[in-house]
Amino acid sequence: MAGVAELTGADRVVVVGAGMAGAQCALSLRQGGWQGRIALVGEEPHPPYDRPPLSKDVLLGKRDSTALDIDWDDYGVELLPGRRATGVEPGVLHTDAGELPYGRLVIATGAAAVPLPGALGTHVLRTVDDALALRARLVPGARIALVGAGWIGAETATVARQLGCEVTVIEAGPGPLAGALPADIGLLMADWYAEAGAELRCGVAVAAVEPDSVLLADGTRVPADEVVVGIGARPATGWLAGSAVALDAGGAILVDEQLRTSADGVWAVGDCVSYPSARSGLRLTVQHWDHALQSGRAAAASLLGTGEPYDPVPYFWSEQFGRMVQYAGRHAGADEVIRRGSAADPSWGVLWLRAGRLVGMLTVDRPRDLNQGRKLIDRGAVLDRALAADPDVQLKAAVAS
């Protein structure tokens, strides 16, 4: 791998995907000493922007734009918005606006919302245009049906209730966050919906979306003026079919510990990748903001020849129903669970251990726990169970001696 000093002005990096991961990669390349040209290609017509505020400030009408406060011209990054990638071959990125030659390529095309099969006229919340279109429909008294009680569903339900909408959330799983958390933990959040005045229906699937209602599999109908679908996202990598870039069974791009793909001179970052985690002992596909930020920076370092193995502690947060919910690590594979306080308390948490070591955690309005726990997960710290279960003891003081 070439060092920074060996790079020449003739080298051109094309970053395809102008979300957080792609933007951070382009920015970090320039800040890290890349002297060649950099092109940042985005499918949307907008300059790079931040996505987390879409389900909060943008829906609430507090902001219309979440554009990143970066002077791309000042950094010498060529923005090419409104171009959709259609294929790649060695040295050339194909787009619907023509070919883009590259010396090195970074793929950051992210993920696309999973649609509800057979449902027309529904909303998803993935882009700023999605958020602006939905915002226009969230008026007082509007009947909003949300399909999926995941992170996006909870955040959208929160805003819709604040705006005076009638809200019903439909979840095929046993409780909120069924795909992200163990069922017994997700159920601890079910009461939040009722407290906010939203109806939560779990354990029932959607059979059809009708003009003014949602038909459920049990035969009941949920009146709905608007239907919002939040049932997950899949890597936006269909355009790579037939290329030298290898994908896994779910469509994620297979990268190594330096975020390099199977194709020479091609890296990949963000929601669309599957990377090897030594900490977890398996490959991970993470679709969260923190991963986009960190992987974008890590790929830039890798390309510059200064990178280290990429294996951060996964982290995610969500603001819902007046609470800050944070998650770090991975609970899968844990063999022990410790409740840190009660869900009836104003703040509480859950810790997951494997062989005594902290491997995952969930906190509700306990940011200090999260910050300390994230470092403990990174260290592979063994916890004293009794101390860890006491919410009055700082988590960093619960490390076994």
Side-chain angles (χ1 to χ4, degrees):
M1 185 66 66
V4 174
E6 299 174 68
L7 300 176
T8 69
D11 285 296
R12 184 195 202 192
V13 176
V14 172
V15 182
V16 55
M20 180 58 69
Q24 282 298 318
C25 184
L27 181 65
S28 298
L29 277 170
R30 192 63 83 205
Q31 291 175 332
W34 182 265
Q35 298 298 311
R37 291 176 296 163
I38 302 173
L40 182 55
V41 182
E43 182 174 357
E44 295 181 55
H46 312 289
Y49 62 88
D50 205 8
R51 294 187 190 277
L54 299 182
S55 60
K56 306 169 185 70
D57 288 355
V58 173
L59 281 187
L60 283 170
K62 295 180 178 179
R63 300 166 65 181
D64 292 333
S65 170
T66 63
L68 300 179
D69 186 18
I70 297 172
D71 188 332
W72 296 103
D73 288 337
D74 189 52
Y75 281 101
V77 174
E78 181 184 11
L79 290 186
L80 298 174
R83 297 194 183 197
R84 179 174 57 84
T86 58
V88 65
E89 60 183 275
V92 179
L93 173 71
H94 297 279
T95 78
D96 60 359
E99 297 181 347
L100 288 172
Y102 67 83
R104 292 163 177 81
L105 178 69
V106 180
I107 301 172
T109 46
V114 174
L116 190 64
L120 300 177
T122 59
H123 299 267
V124 295
L125 186 54
R126 191 77 189 174
T127 70
V128 66
D129 291 329
D130 292 337
L132 293 173
L134 178 57
R135 185 175 78 184
R137 307 293 183 139
L138 297 182
V139 297
R143 301 171 301 176
I144 308 298
L146 291 162
V147 182
W151 303 110
I152 287 294
E155 292 180 1
T156 306
T158 299
V159 171
R161 285 299 301 139
Q162 287 179 266
L163 294 174
C165 302
E166 298 177 13
V167 175
T168 302
V169 180
I170 304 160
E171 171 57 53
L177 300 171
L181 296 174
D184 60 327
I185 304 301
L187 285 171
L188 297 176
M189 304 172 183
D191 289 343
W192 298 356
Y193 290 78
E195 292 169 4
E199 183 180 359
L200 175 64
R201 297 193 184 188
C202 296
V204 61
V206 171
V209 175
E210 300 175 335
D212 58 357
S213 66
V214 176
L215 175 64
L216 304 183
D218 62 7
T220 61
R221 283 181 167 80
V222 175
D225 300 309
E226 306 293 338
V227 178
V228 183
V229 178
I231 55 175
R234 62 169 64 101
T237 56
W239 63 279
L240 291 168
S243 75
V245 178
L247 309 178
D248 70 8
I253 300 170
L254 293 167
V255 297
D256 66 10
E257 71 283 353
Q258 291 278 340
L259 299 171
R260 295 171 296 212
T261 75
S262 58
D264 187 45
V266 181
W267 285 254
V269 296
D271 292 2
C272 63
V273 307
S274 166
Y275 66 91
S277 169
R279 177 183 294 106
S280 302
L282 50 96
R283 283 188 165 272
L284 301 181
T285 297
V286 178
Q287 296 180 343
H288 298 318
W289 183 92
D290 187 70
H291 164 62
L293 183 78
Q294 294 201 58
S295 65
R297 293 172 176 171
S302 174
L303 193 150
L304 291 166
T306 60
E308 298 180 353
Y310 181 74
D311 194 12
V313 175
Y315 167 68
F316 179 70
W317 83 95
S318 175
E319 298 174 49
Q320 50 185 267
F321 305 113
R323 298 166 173 86
M324 173 60 79
V325 182
Q326 295 174 286
Y327 180 94
R330 294 184 73 252
H331 65 271
D335 54 30
E336 190 174 354
V337 180
I338 296 176
R339 300 286 182 92
R340 191 161 161 84
S342 165
D345 298 332
S347 65
W348 51 277
V350 180
L351 310 176
W352 286 276
L353 281 59
R354 184 168 61 242
R357 299 182 184 278
L358 182 65
V359 295
M361 64 184 303
L362 172 79
T363 64
V364 177
D365 288 333
R366 295 186 70 90
R368 185 169 66 177
D369 272 8
L370 191 288
N371 291 334
Q372 293 178 7
R374 197 174 176 185
K375 295 174 183 176
L376 297 179
I377 294 171
D378 193 37
R379 284 168 42 194
V382 175
L383 298 187
D384 179 302
R385 276 77 163 177
L387 292 176
D390 187 344
D392 293 327
V393 174
Q394 287 198 49
L395 199 54
K396 66 182 181 181
V399 176
S401 57

